[in-house]
């Protein structure tokens, strides 16, 4: 698929999707959100992809937010639609993706940029990264899931402070908050993220998809996560991966999962 604003390449079963508008610090305009949706959909359907890494091009920004120039004159209705469409096309799509999605945060992750990183299943940051939800400084609030996912990740009080002050935290503070799992140098970020992806890929992709659904159920209204876990756990027993995983253990060899 040909893209204007992003790059997508797959190597060793890892699809790396790079937001590629460095002159606008990779800000998310409508086209970029659509292209990201299309690239994720392609990765979902491709048997070549086992893990997705999302990152930004250049050395300065992961994503500096939603493209402010696009919505500056929006009405109440248009504003609501912008958030609804973005959440559906990209942010919820990524959060509920059946394959692991890792955000490699390589610089500013602000507003929609941090929301995209938070929609990913976990985050690794380079030491130059700066993260924040500055929307209230523009007279608006986070609209791509930020008011929900930030408190889930860092706790209510820290999220309240970050959102109310519109301030940025650096990579080490994000590590301390649990917003990112690891901090590396900028040079090592992708290699380190690939290494973690490599560890993930040794395991059963079917079981990982089940685990993602069960973990996400904890954060969904009206879902009983324990019940989802029981159902997903039971379903695993009907998979070829389970048979291979348990058999390999008993035969004292490494499992070779068929991914079914
Ligand atoms: N939307 C649209 N354009 C953006 C953008 C955004 N969210 N963030 C950066 N850009 C553009 C700038 O307008 C500038 O474009 P120009 O060269 O055509 O004028 C270019 O990216 C470079 O940004 P600049 O502000 O010159 O870089 P800087 O190093 O001085 O500052 C930031 C970096 C991240 C602090 C600053 O760009 C910023 O505050 N961006 C907006 C962050 C934000 O509020 N995001 C939430 C949106 S809801």
């Amino acid at each position: 698929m040909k893209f204007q604003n992003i790059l997508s390449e797959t190597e060793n079963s890892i699809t790396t999707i790079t937001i590629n508008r460095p002159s606008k610090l990779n800000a998310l305009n409508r086209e970029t959100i659509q292209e990201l949706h299309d690239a994720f959909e392609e990765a979902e359907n491709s048997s070549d992809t086992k893990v997705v890494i999302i990152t930004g091009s250049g050395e300065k920004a992961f994503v500096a937010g939603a493209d402010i120039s696009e919505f500056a004159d929006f009405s109440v209705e248009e504003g609501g639609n912008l958030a609804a469409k973005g959440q559906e096309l990209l942010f919820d799509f990524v959060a509920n993706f059946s394959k692991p999605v890792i955000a490699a945060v390589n610089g500013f992750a602000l507003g929609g940029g941090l929301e995209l990183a938070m929609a990913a299943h976990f985050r690794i940051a380079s030491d130059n990264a700066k993260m924040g939800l500055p929307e209230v400084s523009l007279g608006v609030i986070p609209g791509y899931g930020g008011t929900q996912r930030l408190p889930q990740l860092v706790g209510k009080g820290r999220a309240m402070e970050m959102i109310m002050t519109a301030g940025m935290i650096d990579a080490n503070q994000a590590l301390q908050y649990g917003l990112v799992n690891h901090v590396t140098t900028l040079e090592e970020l992708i290699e380190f993220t690939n290494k973690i992806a490599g560890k993930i890929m040794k395991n059963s992709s079917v079981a990982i998809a089940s685990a993602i659904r069960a973990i996400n159920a904890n954060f969904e209204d009206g879902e009983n996560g324990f019940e989802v876990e029981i159902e997903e756990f039971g379903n695993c027993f009907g998979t070829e991966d389970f048979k291979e995983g348990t058999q390999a253990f008993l035969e004292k060899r490494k499992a070779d999962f068929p991914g079914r």
Side-chain angles (χ1 to χ4, degrees):
M1 214 176 274
K2 271 264 163 270
F3 298 114
Q4 301 299 316
N5 302 291
I6 66 169
L7 308 167
S8 178
E9 55 185 28
T10 303
E11 210 182 320
N12 301 328
S13 301
I14 300 171
T15 296
T16 303
I17 300 176
T18 307
I19 299 137
N20 189 30
R21 297 180 79 211
S23 67
K24 296 291 173 193
L25 302 186
N26 303 323
L28 296 176
N29 60 3
R30 203 172 311 153
E31 272 174 15
T32 309
I33 287 180
Q34 183 63 53
E35 289 188 7
L36 284 167
H37 172 85
D38 295 344
F40 271 98
E41 195 165 56
E42 197 173 77
E44 178 89 61
N45 296 329
S46 166
S47 54
D48 290 344
T49 302
K50 289 197 171 153
V51 175
V52 177
I53 295 173
I54 175 124
T55 193
S57 74
E59 300 192 341
K60 197 168 165 183
F62 172 71
V63 169
D67 192 320
I68 299 167
S69 64
E70 257 190 4
F71 60 73
D73 59 359
F74 270 16
S75 66
V76 169
E77 197 187 350
E78 288 170 315
N81 287 338
L82 179 76
K85 189 103 197 279
Q87 290 194 18
E88 183 193 331
L89 271 183
L90 183 59
F91 298 82
D92 289 350
F93 196 71
V94 168
N96 295 314
F97 207 66
S98 70
K99 301 175 185 183
V101 181
I102 312 173
V105 180
N106 60 309
F108 287 114
L110 302 174
L114 181 54
E115 289 171 304
L116 180 58
M118 291 193 295
H121 297 138
F122 62 92
R123 291 142 290 286
I124 299 168
S126 54
D127 52 15
N128 64 321
K130 292 236 158 46
M131 284 157 259
L133 293 178
E135 284 86 347
V136 298
S137 71
L138 300 165
V140 67
I141 68 167
Y144 288 148
T147 63
Q148 306 305 299
R149 293 196 177 100
L150 187 62
Q152 286 166 2
L153 286 163
V154 305
K156 185 176 173 187
R158 286 167 171 166
M160 284 280 190
E161 183 180 341
M162 281 180 69
I163 290 172
M164 286 176 186
T165 60
M168 294 183 209
I169 59 171
D170 65 19
N172 283 323
Q173 187 151 20
L175 183 65
Q176 196 198 323
Y177 275 13
L179 184 53
V180 303
N181 292 9
H182 307 273
V183 176
T184 71
T185 62
L186 183 58
E187 295 70 38
E188 286 165 340
L189 178 64
I190 294 300
E191 195 189 326
F192 183 85
T193 310
N194 276 322
K195 253 189 209 152
I196 304 242
K199 283 189 187 170
I200 291 173
M201 289 188 309
K202 290 192 181 128
N203 301 313
S204 158
S205 56
V206 190
I208 286 172
S210 275
I212 293 170
R213 283 192 292 274
I215 293 167
N216 279 347
N218 185 28
F219 301 99
E220 275 159 30
D221 264 354
E223 283 276 21
N224 181 327
F226 289 97
E227 278 172 14
V228 173
E229 182 183 276
I230 289 166
E231 196 187 330
E232 294 289 346
F233 180 82
N235 288 341
C236 291
F237 287 72
T239 66
E240 289 177 37
D241 276 11
F242 173 73
K243 294 195 174 35
E244 166 61 12
T246 47
Q247 203 61 40
F249 177 81
L250 295 172
E251 290 168 8
K252 300 190 189 304
R253 60 173 172 83
K254 278 206 175 112
D256 181 14
F257 291 111
R260 289 186 296 271

